[in-house]
Amino acid sequence: MVSVKNIEKRIYDIESFEVNIINPDGTNCRSDKSLPKQYEATRMSKNSFTVGEWKLKFKKQYPGYTVEVLDGSGNPVDGHTCLSTVRDTY
C-alpha cells in the first residue's frame, strides 16, 4: 500500500505537474490515505498528450478514482489542454 502523498509526489517527479487525486465520492483524497500501488510510469508522458488523455491513463491504474491536473498556480486544467502547456506553467 502506498500513500496518496507519495503517489502525487511520484507523478510530479515523473510528469512535471501536480495533481489532486479524487475519491470515488468526489472529495479530495487525504494525503495519508493508502492506495494499492504506486504510479507505474517510469517516463514522462508525451508533451502532445492532452490532460484528458493523461487522465484516462491514470484511471486505468486507479479504477474508481479521478484526478485533477493542476497548473503552476494550483488551478485545475481543462481536459483539452496539452501537457506541454501545463508543464510550461511551472
Side-chain angles (χ1 to χ4, degrees):
M1 301 293 272
V2 182
S3 73
V4 167
K5 178 181 179 179
N6 287 338
I7 294 168
E8 290 175 344
K9 182 183 179 325
R10 180 169 167 94
I11 290 171
Y12 180 80
D13 290 346
I14 293 171
E15 301 290 357
S16 298
F17 53 78
E18 293 185 356
V19 299
N20 284 331
I21 298 175
I22 310 296
N23 287 310
D25 67 4
T27 60
N28 196 6
C29 275
R30 290 176 36 161
S31 62
D32 62 344
K33 179 177 181 171
S34 293
L35 295 179
K37 59 185 173 182
Q38 182 58 276
Y39 182 63
E40 295 173 345
T42 56
R43 295 184 323 180
M44 182 185 290
S45 298
K46 293 180 182 180
N47 275 328
S48 60
F49 266 35
T50 64
V51 169
E53 290 171 322
W54 186 85
K55 285 181 175 184
L56 290 174
K57 177 180 173 178
F58 176 89
K59 199 168 192 157
K60 287 179 185 176
Q61 289 185 40
Y62 301 99
Y65 291 87
T66 56
V67 65
E68 287 181 326
V69 174
L70 306 174
D71 65 17
S73 300
N75 300 312
V77 179
D78 181 78
H80 298 294
T81 307
C82 285
L83 293 182
S84 62
T85 303
V86 176
R87 290 175 177 135
D88 287 347
T89 65
Y90 284 86

